[in-house]
mmCIF file of all heavy atoms in Angstrom:
data_model
loop_
_atom_site.group_PDB
_atom_site.id
_atom_site.type_symbol
_atom_site.label_atom_id
_atom_site.label_comp_id
_atom_site.label_asym_id
_atom_site.label_seq_id
_atom_site.Cartn_x
_atom_site.Cartn_y
_atom_site.Cartn_z
ATOM 1 N N TRP A 1 116.172 35.822 -102.870
ATOM 2 C CA TRP A 1 114.904 36.421 -103.314
ATOM 3 C C TRP A 1 114.795 37.823 -102.722
ATOM 4 O O TRP A 1 115.085 38.019 -101.544
ATOM 5 C CB TRP A 1 113.763 35.531 -102.836
ATOM 6 C CG TRP A 1 112.361 36.018 -103.031
ATOM 7 C CD1 TRP A 1 111.526 35.719 -104.065
ATOM 8 C CD2 TRP A 1 111.589 36.829 -102.139
ATOM 9 N NE1 TRP A 1 110.288 36.307 -103.876
ATOM 10 C CE2 TRP A 1 110.307 36.990 -102.697
ATOM 11 C CE3 TRP A 1 111.876 37.450 -100.916
ATOM 12 C CZ2 TRP A 1 109.305 37.739 -102.080
ATOM 13 C CZ3 TRP A 1 110.877 38.201 -100.300
ATOM 14 C CH2 TRP A 1 109.603 38.338 -100.888
ATOM 15 N N ARG A 2 114.418 38.798 -103.554
ATOM 16 C CA ARG A 2 114.263 40.170 -103.088
ATOM 17 C C ARG A 2 113.071 40.833 -103.770
ATOM 18 O O ARG A 2 112.652 40.423 -104.855
ATOM 19 C CB ARG A 2 115.528 41.003 -103.375
ATOM 20 C CG ARG A 2 116.790 40.540 -102.672
ATOM 21 C CD ARG A 2 116.723 40.736 -101.162
ATOM 22 N NE ARG A 2 117.950 40.306 -100.510
ATOM 23 C CZ ARG A 2 118.199 39.065 -100.085
ATOM 24 N NH1 ARG A 2 117.302 38.104 -100.273
ATOM 25 N NH2 ARG A 2 119.339 38.764 -99.494
ATOM 26 N N ILE A 3 112.547 41.870 -103.114
ATOM 27 C CA ILE A 3 111.450 42.674 -103.667
ATOM 28 C C ILE A 3 111.868 44.141 -103.643
ATOM 29 O O ILE A 3 112.447 44.612 -102.655
ATOM 30 C CB ILE A 3 110.159 42.506 -102.832
ATOM 31 C CG1 ILE A 3 109.628 41.072 -102.944
ATOM 32 C CG2 ILE A 3 109.085 43.494 -103.292
ATOM 33 C CD1 ILE A 3 109.071 40.700 -104.296
ATOM 34 N N TYR A 4 111.582 44.858 -104.742
ATOM 35 C CA TYR A 4 111.849 46.296 -104.815
ATOM 36 C C TYR A 4 110.627 47.046 -105.352
ATOM 37 O O TYR A 4 109.882 46.517 -106.193
ATOM 38 C CB TYR A 4 113.019 46.590 -105.765
ATOM 39 C CG TYR A 4 114.352 46.069 -105.318
ATOM 40 C CD1 TYR A 4 114.826 44.833 -105.767
ATOM 41 C CD2 TYR A 4 115.154 46.802 -104.446
ATOM 42 C CE1 TYR A 4 116.061 44.349 -105.358
ATOM 43 C CE2 TYR A 4 116.391 46.322 -104.033
ATOM 44 C CZ TYR A 4 116.839 45.097 -104.490
ATOM 45 O OH TYR A 4 118.058 44.618 -104.084
ATOM 46 N N ASN A 5 110.446 48.255 -104.867
ATOM 47 C CA ASN A 5 109.529 49.201 -105.508
ATOM 48 C C ASN A 5 110.266 49.907 -106.636
ATOM 49 O O ASN A 5 111.439 50.289 -106.482
ATOM 50 C CB ASN A 5 109.073 50.282 -104.524
ATOM 51 C CG ASN A 5 108.052 49.787 -103.528
ATOM 52 O OD1 ASN A 5 107.316 48.824 -103.781
ATOM 53 N ND2 ASN A 5 107.982 50.449 -102.380
ATOM 54 N N ILE A 6 109.584 50.109 -107.764
ATOM 55 C CA ILE A 6 110.110 51.001 -108.800
ATOM 56 C C ILE A 6 109.045 52.049 -109.055
ATOM 57 O O ILE A 6 108.065 51.832 -109.776
ATOM 58 C CB ILE A 6 110.484 50.248 -110.086
ATOM 59 C CG1 ILE A 6 111.610 49.255 -109.798
ATOM 60 C CG2 ILE A 6 110.920 51.234 -111.162
ATOM 61 C CD1 ILE A 6 112.305 48.700 -111.003
ATOM 62 N N GLY A 7 109.223 53.184 -108.393
ATOM 63 C CA GLY A 7 108.282 54.297 -108.487
ATOM 64 C C GLY A 7 109.025 55.608 -108.440
ATOM 65 O O GLY A 7 110.245 55.645 -108.254
ATOM 66 N N ASN A 8 108.287 56.682 -108.590
ATOM 67 C CA ASN A 8 108.883 58.008 -108.668
ATOM 68 C C ASN A 8 109.067 58.663 -107.303
ATOM 69 O O ASN A 8 109.693 59.708 -107.195
ATOM 70 C CB ASN A 8 108.012 58.909 -109.556
ATOM 71 C CG ASN A 8 108.784 60.043 -110.197
ATOM 72 O OD1 ASN A 8 109.951 59.892 -110.529
ATOM 73 N ND2 ASN A 8 108.149 61.179 -110.354
ATOM 74 N N ASN A 9 108.462 58.037 -106.255
ATOM 75 C CA ASN A 9 108.539 58.571 -104.903
ATOM 76 C C ASN A 9 107.865 59.940 -104.788
ATOM 77 O O ASN A 9 108.166 60.728 -103.913
ATOM 78 C CB ASN A 9 110.004 58.654 -104.435
ATOM 79 C CG ASN A 9 110.142 58.905 -102.935
ATOM 80 O OD1 ASN A 9 110.981 59.698 -102.501
ATOM 81 N ND2 ASN A 9 109.329 58.238 -102.144
ATOM 82 N N ARG A 10 106.938 60.211 -105.742
ATOM 83 C CA ARG A 10 106.156 61.457 -105.706
ATOM 84 C C ARG A 10 104.736 61.126 -106.129
ATOM 85 O O ARG A 10 104.526 60.439 -107.119
ATOM 86 C CB ARG A 10 106.726 62.515 -106.659
ATOM 87 C CG ARG A 10 108.124 62.979 -106.317
ATOM 88 C CD ARG A 10 108.634 63.962 -107.372
ATOM 89 N NE ARG A 10 110.001 64.391 -107.112
ATOM 90 C CZ ARG A 10 111.083 63.724 -107.503
ATOM 91 N NH1 ARG A 10 110.935 62.607 -108.194
ATOM 92 N NH2 ARG A 10 112.292 64.156 -107.223
ATOM 93 N N SER A 11 103.776 61.646 -105.386
ATOM 94 C CA SER A 11 102.381 61.380 -105.683
ATOM 95 C C SER A 11 101.694 62.665 -106.126
ATOM 96 O O SER A 11 101.880 63.718 -105.504
ATOM 97 C CB SER A 11 101.693 60.827 -104.429
ATOM 98 O OG SER A 11 100.344 60.541 -104.681
ATOM 99 N N ILE A 12 100.936 62.601 -107.219
ATOM 100 C CA ILE A 12 100.193 63.788 -107.660
ATOM 101 C C ILE A 12 98.714 63.443 -107.812
ATOM 102 O O ILE A 12 98.350 62.289 -108.057
ATOM 103 C CB ILE A 12 100.729 64.357 -108.993
ATOM 104 C CG1 ILE A 12 100.415 63.415 -110.163
ATOM 105 C CG2 ILE A 12 102.194 64.671 -108.925
ATOM 106 C CD1 ILE A 12 100.428 64.119 -111.495
ATOM 107 N N GLU A 13 97.872 64.451 -107.680
ATOM 108 C CA GLU A 13 96.435 64.262 -107.844
ATOM 109 C C GLU A 13 96.115 64.075 -109.324
ATOM 110 O O GLU A 13 96.714 64.716 -110.185
ATOM 111 C CB GLU A 13 95.687 65.468 -107.278
ATOM 112 C CG GLU A 13 94.231 65.198 -106.965
ATOM 113 C CD GLU A 13 93.632 66.276 -106.081
ATOM 114 O OE1 GLU A 13 93.176 67.297 -106.649
ATOM 115 O OE2 GLU A 13 93.618 66.117 -104.829
ATOM 116 N N ILE A 14 95.165 63.195 -109.604
ATOM 117 C CA ILE A 14 94.790 62.906 -110.988
ATOM 118 C C ILE A 14 94.352 64.174 -111.718
ATOM 119 O O ILE A 14 94.618 64.346 -112.916
ATOM 120 C CB ILE A 14 93.667 61.852 -111.035
ATOM 121 C CG1 ILE A 14 94.147 60.521 -110.451
ATOM 122 C CG2 ILE A 14 93.163 61.653 -112.456
ATOM 123 C CD1 ILE A 14 95.221 59.833 -111.266
ATOM 124 N N SER A 15 93.707 65.081 -111.000
ATOM 125 C CA SER A 15 93.266 66.332 -111.627
ATOM 126 C C SER A 15 94.463 67.142 -112.134
ATOM 127 O O SER A 15 94.353 67.872 -113.136
ATOM 128 C CB SER A 15 92.436 67.159 -110.654
ATOM 129 O OG SER A 15 93.167 67.429 -109.470
ATOM 130 N N ARG A 16 95.614 67.019 -111.482
ATOM 131 C CA ARG A 16 96.826 67.708 -111.938
ATOM 132 C C ARG A 16 97.306 67.119 -113.261
ATOM 133 O O ARG A 16 97.756 67.849 -114.157
ATOM 134 C CB ARG A 16 97.920 67.601 -110.876
ATOM 135 C CG ARG A 16 99.295 68.125 -111.297
ATOM 136 C CD ARG A 16 99.266 69.576 -111.707
ATOM 137 N NE ARG A 16 100.593 70.069 -112.072
ATOM 138 C CZ ARG A 16 100.827 71.121 -112.836
ATOM 139 N NH1 ARG A 16 99.805 71.825 -113.324
ATOM 140 N NH2 ARG A 16 102.059 71.496 -113.119
ATOM 141 N N LEU A 17 97.211 65.806 -113.400
ATOM 142 C CA LEU A 17 97.552 65.165 -114.667
ATOM 143 C C LEU A 17 96.686 65.723 -115.789
ATOM 144 O O LEU A 17 97.188 66.023 -116.882
ATOM 145 C CB LEU A 17 97.353 63.653 -114.557
ATOM 146 C CG LEU A 17 97.439 62.858 -115.868
ATOM 147 C CD1 LEU A 17 98.832 62.964 -116.481
ATOM 148 C CD2 LEU A 17 97.053 61.408 -115.638
ATOM 149 N N VAL A 18 95.394 65.885 -115.537
ATOM 150 C CA VAL A 18 94.493 66.429 -116.552
ATOM 151 C C VAL A 18 94.910 67.844 -116.935
ATOM 152 O O VAL A 18 94.937 68.210 -118.120
ATOM 153 C CB VAL A 18 93.037 66.405 -116.060
ATOM 154 C CG1 VAL A 18 92.112 67.096 -117.072
ATOM 155 C CG2 VAL A 18 92.578 64.976 -115.815
ATOM 156 N N GLU A 19 95.281 68.648 -115.952
ATOM 157 C CA GLU A 19 95.728 70.030 -116.232
ATOM 158 C C GLU A 19 96.950 70.036 -117.148
ATOM 159 O O GLU A 19 97.039 70.855 -118.069
ATOM 160 C CB GLU A 19 96.061 70.751 -114.920
ATOM 161 C CG GLU A 19 94.857 71.062 -114.044
ATOM 162 C CD GLU A 19 95.271 71.642 -112.707
ATOM 163 O OE1 GLU A 19 96.506 71.789 -112.470
ATOM 164 O OE2 GLU A 19 94.388 71.930 -111.890
ATOM 165 N N LEU A 20 97.894 69.148 -116.880
ATOM 166 C CA LEU A 20 99.104 69.088 -117.711
ATOM 167 C C LEU A 20 98.762 68.683 -119.140
ATOM 168 O O LEU A 20 99.301 69.235 -120.105
ATOM 169 C CB LEU A 20 100.106 68.111 -117.105
ATOM 170 C CG LEU A 20 100.732 68.538 -115.780
ATOM 171 C CD1 LEU A 20 101.535 67.391 -115.183
ATOM 172 C CD2 LEU A 20 101.624 69.757 -115.974
ATOM 173 N N LEU A 21 97.866 67.714 -119.289
ATOM 174 C CA LEU A 21 97.453 67.290 -120.629
ATOM 175 C C LEU A 21 96.700 68.407 -121.348
ATOM 176 O O LEU A 21 96.883 68.619 -122.555
ATOM 177 C CB LEU A 21 96.588 66.034 -120.531
ATOM 178 C CG LEU A 21 97.340 64.747 -120.153
ATOM 179 C CD1 LEU A 21 96.358 63.643 -119.772
ATOM 180 C CD2 LEU A 21 98.240 64.280 -121.297
ATOM 181 N N GLU A 22 95.866 69.131 -120.624
ATOM 182 C CA GLU A 22 95.159 70.270 -121.216
ATOM 183 C C GLU A 22 96.158 71.290 -121.751
ATOM 184 O O GLU A 22 95.986 71.831 -122.855
ATOM 185 C CB GLU A 22 94.255 70.938 -120.177
ATOM 186 C CG GLU A 22 93.021 70.135 -119.815
ATOM 187 C CD GLU A 22 92.233 70.768 -118.676
ATOM 188 O OE1 GLU A 22 92.858 71.444 -117.815
ATOM 189 O OE2 GLU A 22 91.005 70.590 -118.630
ATOM 190 N N GLY A 23 97.210 71.527 -120.983
ATOM 191 C CA GLY A 23 98.219 72.489 -121.412
ATOM 192 C C GLY A 23 98.939 72.037 -122.665
ATOM 193 O O GLY A 23 99.221 72.838 -123.565
ATOM 194 N N GLU A 24 99.247 70.734 -122.768
ATOM 195 C CA GLU A 24 99.957 70.221 -123.938
ATOM 196 C C GLU A 24 99.081 70.218 -125.185
ATOM 197 O O GLU A 24 99.566 70.480 -126.294
ATOM 198 C CB GLU A 24 100.470 68.803 -123.659
ATOM 199 C CG GLU A 24 101.565 68.721 -122.615
ATOM 200 C CD GLU A 24 102.812 69.495 -123.012
ATOM 201 O OE1 GLU A 24 103.157 69.505 -124.218
ATOM 202 O OE2 GLU A 24 103.443 70.094 -122.119
ATOM 203 N N PHE A 25 97.783 69.934 -125.016
ATOM 204 C CA PHE A 25 96.882 69.905 -126.171
ATOM 205 C C PHE A 25 96.276 71.272 -126.492
ATOM 206 O O PHE A 25 95.695 71.459 -127.558
ATOM 207 C CB PHE A 25 95.755 68.895 -125.934
ATOM 208 C CG PHE A 25 96.158 67.466 -126.154
ATOM 209 C CD1 PHE A 25 96.434 66.628 -125.077
ATOM 210 C CD2 PHE A 25 96.274 66.950 -127.432
ATOM 211 C CE1 PHE A 25 96.812 65.307 -125.269
ATOM 212 C CE2 PHE A 25 96.651 65.629 -127.647
ATOM 213 C CZ PHE A 25 96.920 64.805 -126.561
ATOM 214 N N GLY A 26 96.403 72.196 -125.521
ATOM 215 C CA GLY A 26 95.864 73.540 -125.757
ATOM 216 C C GLY A 26 94.354 73.590 -125.781
ATOM 217 O O GLY A 26 93.760 74.436 -126.474
ATOM 218 N N ARG A 27 93.710 72.708 -125.035
ATOM 219 C CA ARG A 27 92.248 72.734 -124.948
ATOM 220 C C ARG A 27 91.799 72.180 -123.597
ATOM 221 O O ARG A 27 92.493 71.373 -122.987
ATOM 222 C CB ARG A 27 91.601 71.930 -126.081
ATOM 223 C CG ARG A 27 91.966 70.454 -126.094
ATOM 224 C CD ARG A 27 91.046 69.646 -127.014
ATOM 225 N NE ARG A 27 91.215 70.013 -128.404
ATOM 226 C CZ ARG A 27 90.577 69.390 -129.398
ATOM 227 N NH1 ARG A 27 89.734 68.410 -129.119
ATOM 228 N NH2 ARG A 27 90.790 69.737 -130.657
ATOM 229 N N LYS A 28 90.653 72.638 -123.139
ATOM 230 C CA LYS A 28 90.119 72.197 -121.857
ATOM 231 C C LYS A 28 89.421 70.859 -122.006
ATOM 232 O O LYS A 28 88.835 70.548 -123.049
ATOM 233 C CB LYS A 28 89.116 73.221 -121.309
ATOM 234 C CG LYS A 28 89.719 74.574 -120.986
ATOM 235 C CD LYS A 28 90.702 74.501 -119.825
ATOM 236 C CE LYS A 28 89.987 74.264 -118.500
ATOM 237 N NZ LYS A 28 90.953 74.241 -117.357
ATOM 238 N N ALA A 29 89.491 70.075 -120.961
ATOM 239 C CA ALA A 29 88.827 68.774 -120.944
ATOM 240 C C ALA A 29 87.428 68.910 -120.363
ATOM 241 O O ALA A 29 87.188 69.713 -119.458
ATOM 242 C CB ALA A 29 89.631 67.784 -120.106
ATOM 243 N N GLU A 30 86.516 68.122 -120.892
ATOM 244 C CA GLU A 30 85.186 67.997 -120.302
ATOM 245 C C GLU A 30 85.278 66.893 -119.260
ATOM 246 O O GLU A 30 85.687 65.767 -119.573
ATOM 247 C CB GLU A 30 84.161 67.638 -121.373
ATOM 248 C CG GLU A 30 82.747 67.508 -120.842
ATOM 249 C CD GLU A 30 81.763 67.079 -121.912
ATOM 250 O OE1 GLU A 30 82.096 67.206 -123.111
ATOM 251 O OE2 GLU A 30 80.671 66.587 -121.547
ATOM 252 N N ILE A 31 84.935 67.200 -118.016
ATOM 253 C CA ILE A 31 85.189 66.278 -116.905
ATOM 254 C C ILE A 31 83.888 65.808 -116.270
ATOM 255 O O ILE A 31 82.985 66.598 -116.009
ATOM 256 C CB ILE A 31 86.093 66.951 -115.849
ATOM 257 C CG1 ILE A 31 87.484 67.213 -116.444
ATOM 258 C CG2 ILE A 31 86.213 66.071 -114.605
ATOM 259 C CD1 ILE A 31 88.390 68.009 -115.554
ATOM 260 N N GLU A 32 83.823 64.500 -116.017
ATOM 261 C CA GLU A 32 82.713 63.895 -115.294
ATOM 262 C C GLU A 32 83.267 63.315 -113.994
ATOM 263 O O GLU A 32 84.099 62.406 -114.018
ATOM 264 C CB GLU A 32 82.072 62.795 -116.143
ATOM 265 C CG GLU A 32 80.890 62.124 -115.493
ATOM 266 C CD GLU A 32 80.285 61.017 -116.348
ATOM 267 O OE1 GLU A 32 80.775 60.813 -117.481
ATOM 268 O OE2 GLU A 32 79.344 60.350 -115.869
ATOM 269 N N LEU A 33 82.835 63.838 -112.865
ATOM 270 C CA LEU A 33 83.330 63.397 -111.561
ATOM 271 C C LEU A 33 82.490 62.237 -111.046
ATOM 272 O O LEU A 33 81.258 62.313 -111.007
ATOM 273 C CB LEU A 33 83.310 64.554 -110.563
ATOM 274 C CG LEU A 33 84.201 65.751 -110.911
ATOM 275 C CD1 LEU A 33 84.021 66.864 -109.885
ATOM 276 C CD2 LEU A 33 85.659 65.340 -110.997
ATOM 277 N N LEU A 34 83.168 61.154 -110.633
ATOM 278 C CA LEU A 34 82.489 59.935 -110.211
ATOM 279 C C LEU A 34 83.107 59.402 -108.919
ATOM 280 O O LEU A 34 84.252 59.742 -108.585
ATOM 281 C CB LEU A 34 82.611 58.865 -111.304
ATOM 282 C CG LEU A 34 81.949 59.198 -112.645
ATOM 283 C CD1 LEU A 34 82.384 58.193 -113.707
ATOM 284 C CD2 LEU A 34 80.439 59.205 -112.509
ATOM 285 N N PRO A 35 82.372 58.566 -108.173
ATOM 286 C CA PRO A 35 82.946 57.989 -106.946
ATOM 287 C C PRO A 35 84.043 56.968 -107.257
ATOM 288 O O PRO A 35 84.267 56.608 -108.411
ATOM 289 C CB PRO A 35 81.733 57.320 -106.280
ATOM 290 C CG PRO A 35 80.768 57.075 -107.384
ATOM 291 C CD PRO A 35 80.968 58.187 -108.377
ATOM 292 N N MET A 36 84.695 56.495 -106.224
ATOM 293 C CA MET A 36 85.784 55.529 -106.362
ATOM 294 C C MET A 36 85.290 54.243 -107.016
ATOM 295 O O MET A 36 84.194 53.770 -106.740
ATOM 296 C CB MET A 36 86.366 55.195 -104.984
ATOM 297 C CG MET A 36 87.540 54.258 -104.999
ATOM 298 S SD MET A 36 89.082 55.103 -105.283
ATOM 299 C CE MET A 36 89.445 55.675 -103.616
ATOM 300 N N GLN A 37 86.130 53.687 -107.902
ATOM 301 C CA GLN A 37 85.844 52.419 -108.551
ATOM 302 C C GLN A 37 86.190 51.252 -107.629
ATOM 303 O O GLN A 37 87.171 51.323 -106.873
ATOM 304 C CB GLN A 37 86.686 52.285 -109.822
ATOM 305 C CG GLN A 37 86.162 53.090 -110.990
ATOM 306 C CD GLN A 37 85.183 52.275 -111.812
ATOM 307 O OE1 GLN A 37 83.979 52.331 -111.590
ATOM 308 N NE2 GLN A 37 85.696 51.526 -112.758
ATOM 309 N N PRO A 38 85.435 50.150 -107.684
ATOM 310 C CA PRO A 38 85.824 48.957 -106.917
ATOM 311 C C PRO A 38 87.225 48.495 -107.308
ATOM 312 O O PRO A 38 87.576 48.468 -108.481
ATOM 313 C CB PRO A 38 84.772 47.923 -107.340
ATOM 314 C CG PRO A 38 83.593 48.723 -107.793
ATOM 315 C CD PRO A 38 84.173 49.959 -108.420
ATOM 316 N N GLY A 39 88.015 48.137 -106.301
ATOM 317 C CA GLY A 39 89.368 47.652 -106.546
ATOM 318 C C GLY A 39 90.426 48.734 -106.571
ATOM 319 O O GLY A 39 91.622 48.431 -106.534
ATOM 320 N N ASP A 40 90.006 50.007 -106.660
ATOM 321 C CA ASP A 40 90.972 51.105 -106.696
ATOM 322 C C ASP A 40 91.370 51.538 -105.290
ATOM 323 O O ASP A 40 90.662 51.274 -104.314
ATOM 324 C CB ASP A 40 90.385 52.316 -107.434
ATOM 325 C CG ASP A 40 90.531 52.208 -108.937
ATOM 326 O OD1 ASP A 40 91.171 51.251 -109.394
ATOM 327 O OD2 ASP A 40 89.993 53.071 -109.647
ATOM 328 N N VAL A 41 92.494 52.234 -105.190
ATOM 329 C CA VAL A 41 92.944 52.800 -103.920
ATOM 330 C C VAL A 41 93.019 54.317 -104.060
ATOM 331 O O VAL A 41 93.101 54.846 -105.168
ATOM 332 C CB VAL A 41 94.317 52.241 -103.494
ATOM 333 C CG1 VAL A 41 94.221 50.740 -103.282
ATOM 334 C CG2 VAL A 41 95.388 52.573 -104.517
ATOM 335 N N ALA A 42 92.979 55.010 -102.933
ATOM 336 C CA ALA A 42 92.941 56.467 -102.961
ATOM 337 C C ALA A 42 94.274 57.078 -103.374
ATOM 338 O O ALA A 42 94.312 58.104 -104.056
ATOM 339 C CB ALA A 42 92.519 57.008 -101.593
ATOM 340 N N GLU A 43 95.381 56.446 -102.969
ATOM 341 C CA GLU A 43 96.696 57.049 -103.238
ATOM 342 C C GLU A 43 97.769 55.977 -103.295
ATOM 343 O O GLU A 43 97.701 54.967 -102.583
ATOM 344 C CB GLU A 43 97.041 58.072 -102.160
ATOM 345 C CG GLU A 43 98.366 58.779 -102.373
ATOM 346 C CD GLU A 43 98.616 59.922 -101.397
ATOM 347 O OE1 GLU A 43 97.748 60.167 -100.540
ATOM 348 O OE2 GLU A 43 99.678 60.561 -101.510
ATOM 349 N N THR A 44 98.765 56.197 -104.155
ATOM 350 C CA THR A 44 99.961 55.364 -104.167
ATOM 351 C C THR A 44 101.201 56.256 -104.139
ATOM 352 O O THR A 44 101.196 57.345 -104.714
ATOM 353 C CB THR A 44 100.029 54.458 -105.416
ATOM 354 O OG1 THR A 44 100.170 55.268 -106.584
ATOM 355 C CG2 THR A 44 98.796 53.586 -105.538
ATOM 356 N N CYS A 45 102.214 55.782 -103.465
ATOM 357 C CA CYS A 45 103.497 56.485 -103.443
ATOM 358 C C CYS A 45 104.561 55.478 -103.014
ATOM 359 O O CYS A 45 104.371 54.762 -102.019
ATOM 360 C CB CYS A 45 103.465 57.669 -102.475
ATOM 361 S SG CYS A 45 104.992 58.641 -102.476
ATOM 362 N N ALA A 46 105.645 55.404 -103.772
ATOM 363 C CA ALA A 46 106.658 54.377 -103.547
ATOM 364 C C ALA A 46 107.793 54.879 -102.673
ATOM 365 O O ALA A 46 108.348 55.955 -102.909
ATOM 366 C CB ALA A 46 107.227 53.914 -104.882
#
């Protein structure tokens, strides 16, 4: 029996993901900032 992580070993901020999507679609996103959701974690990195 074995366990492995399968991840990219790189962590990025969610806001950076939005910037990349904005660039691909060529339009700015309307953003609503909210506190952490129950069950979520602040950061993941494998």
Side-chain angles (χ1 to χ4, degrees):
W1 173 95
R2 297 292 181 272
I3 294 291
Y4 294 95
N5 285 335
I6 297 194
N8 206 34
N9 193 222
R10 297 176 182 85
S11 181
I12 70 158
E13 200 165 86
I14 297 293
S15 57
R16 173 58 179 158
L17 170 63
V18 175
E19 291 174 0
L20 292 171
L21 288 167
E22 288 174 330
E24 292 299 323
F25 281 102
R27 61 166 66 176
K28 296 294 289 182
E30 181 183 342
I31 294 173
E32 181 181 357
L33 298 176
L34 297 169
M36 183 84 83
Q37 283 270 93
D40 277 355
V41 298
E43 182 172 0
T44 65
C45 183

